[in-house]
Structures are given as C-alpha cells and as structure tokens.
Amino acid sequence: MKAAVIVFPGSNCDRDIQVAIEQSTGQPCAMIWHKETSLPRLDLIVVPGGFSYGDYLRSGAMAAHSPIMRAVKAEADRGVAVLGICNGFQVLTEAQLLPGVLMKNRDLRFICRDVDLRVEATDTVFTRRYRKSQVVRFPIAHNDGNYFADAETLKALEGEGRVAFRYCDPQGNITEAANPNGSLNNIAGILNAKRNVLGMMPHPERLADMLLGGIDGRPMFDGLVEALAA
C-alpha cells in the first residue's frame, strides 16, 4: 500500500501517523509538504492532526487553501482513500471534502483525554476490521471538535449510514454525558458520500501499539492495508 501524509506548518501528529502506517504496511510512508502541487499515485492520503498554521483565522481554514489540497481533492474525487484526523478533519470540512463544521468545544476548553467510541459503520476501508457497535478507546486532544451540520446534512449523514464513530459510554450507550465536546448526535467521525473520505476527531494513531498503552487504533491501519494493498 502506497501512503502519504500531508505536512503543514504547525502539524504535530504527522510523525505519529507515519509510524502507525509504517508499522502496519512495513513500507515507507511519504511525507508531502503542503506547498507541493501534485501527488504521486497513492492508495491512502492522510491529513494529520496538529495545529496547521497555528489555527490562525479558524482551525483548518488556512490549510484548506494550501497548494497541495487541490491535488488531495482531485485524488479523493478519483476514489483514493483520504483520512483526516483531528485538525485533518477540520481541514477536510474547510476544503469541503466533508460536510459540516467543527466549532469550539461546548465548554470552551481544550480537551485531552481518552474517550469511548461506538463503531457505527464497518463497510468502509477504514473500519472493516472493527465490528458494528464495537466500543473502542481512542484519545482526543482538541479545542474545536464540536461537530455541527444543518438539519438536511445531518439527515443525509444519518440516513446514508455515513456516521462512522460516535462518542459513547463504556457500555456503548450514546449519552450526553459521554459527549465530550457537544457534537450533534455525539458524532466523532463521518464519511463522504462515496465512503472513501473519513474525518474523525479522535486519534487512532495514538493507541496503535502496546507501548502507547493500547491497540484499539491498530485495526484501522491493518484494515487499510488489507483493503488497499495491491
């Protein structure tokens, strides 16, 4: 599987996701600087977490207009898998590769802790190694993770099974108390209509090795290799 990580000024999770991907693929993962204007043939593009451009203006807003994002959009339209994590999710919404917006957390505070997630969609290259309704534990670390979309968009996401992950309690119940940031319908991750673009606020790469304290994130990368390796 040929994979690449897009690097913006301010990215701070780019090396973490590179390690997680290389652990699963056993192959080098390319790092692409945001000023590049083209991409090689790839099976997976990752827009990583971090604070692109220092989150100036609005999280992900400036990165969405980086030269490389035109190439990312073109590859996504061609069907290449694109994964956006945390700030990467914000970039993908700002670039209109995914619908909705990520607003300030409900309590207006930065949140950094592990959360429980319920897997809602398993018919994707990103989630095929998980079971439907499985509860997994991923870390979050964000100030702007409060997912919002208008009523029509939300209806489409729910009706088309495009919610990939929801915040839940350890038993898998979707409750307000388990919602860390105020996201509509406890949404933690969504898919585009073609299901080849996933944006999610939690960080699977931060629990992809027992040395990190858990491996709930590892099936995502192993599943991508299984699905995309030629």
Side-chain angles (χ1 to χ4, degrees), residues 170-223:
Q171 290 72 45
N173 300 306
I174 306 302
T175 67
E176 189 61 23
N179 187 342
N181 50 34
S183 291
L184 285 178
N185 294 8
N186 285 47
I187 287 174
I190 59 168
L191 299 151
N192 68 340
K194 293 168 64 175
R195 309 179 85 77
N196 65 309
V197 178
L198 169 65
M200 57 190 299
M201 290 310 298
H203 288 264
E205 79 279 16
R206 292 189 182 179
L207 277 182
D209 190 304
M210 285 309 297
L211 290 174
L212 299 173
I215 56 171
D216 281 7
R218 182 68 183 267
M220 179 173 292
F221 305 109
D222 289 347

Side-chain angles (χ1 to χ4, degrees), residues 86-229:
C86 196
N87 189 226
F89 186 11
Q90 296 158 349
V91 174
L92 294 181
T93 58
E94 291 286 343
Q96 299 186 345
L97 280 165
L98 289 170
V101 296
L102 281 308
M103 305 191 304
K104 296 288 184 188
N105 295 339
R106 176 177 48 200
D107 62 2
L108 303 181
R109 293 182 178 180
F110 184 87
I111 306 170
C112 183
R113 61 180 173 86
D114 290 356
V115 296
D116 293 306
L117 302 172
R118 193 171 77 187
V119 181
E120 300 288 77
T122 56
D123 57 340
T124 80
V125 295
F126 309 98
T127 55
R128 56 186 287 154
R129 279 273 189 123
Y130 296 105
R131 301 186 310 278
K132 189 169 178 59
S133 300
Q134 181 180 351
V135 177
V136 295
R137 180 172 62 97
F138 289 171
I140 57 171
H142 59 248
N143 191 57
D144 303 277
N146 183 356
Y147 183 77
F148 178 84
D150 60 50
E152 185 178 347
T153 300
L154 194 62
K155 183 179 179 182
L157 288 172
E158 296 287 1
E160 296 168 11
R162 290 163 53 193
V163 176
F165 297 99
R166 289 185 213 273
Y167 301 108
C168 69
D169 68 16
Q171 290 72 45
N173 300 306
I174 306 302
T175 67
E176 189 61 23
N179 187 342
N181 50 34
S183 291
L184 285 178
N185 294 8
N186 285 47
I187 287 174
I190 59 168
L191 299 151
N192 68 340
K194 293 168 64 175
R195 309 179 85 77
N196 65 309
V197 178
L198 169 65
M200 57 190 299
M201 290 310 298
H203 288 264
E205 79 279 16
R206 292 189 182 179
L207 277 182
D209 190 304
M210 285 309 297
L211 290 174
L212 299 173
I215 56 171
D216 281 7
R218 182 68 183 267
M220 179 173 292
F221 305 109
D222 289 347
L224 283 164
V225 173
E226 192 175 72
L228 302 177

Side-chain angles (χ1 to χ4, degrees), residues 6 39 45 47 68-77 82 97:
I6 307 300
L39 288 164
I45 300 167
V47 184
I68 195 61
M69 288 307 296
R70 287 192 287 272
V72 172
K73 287 180 185 177
E75 292 304 291
D77 289 343
V82 177
L97 280 165

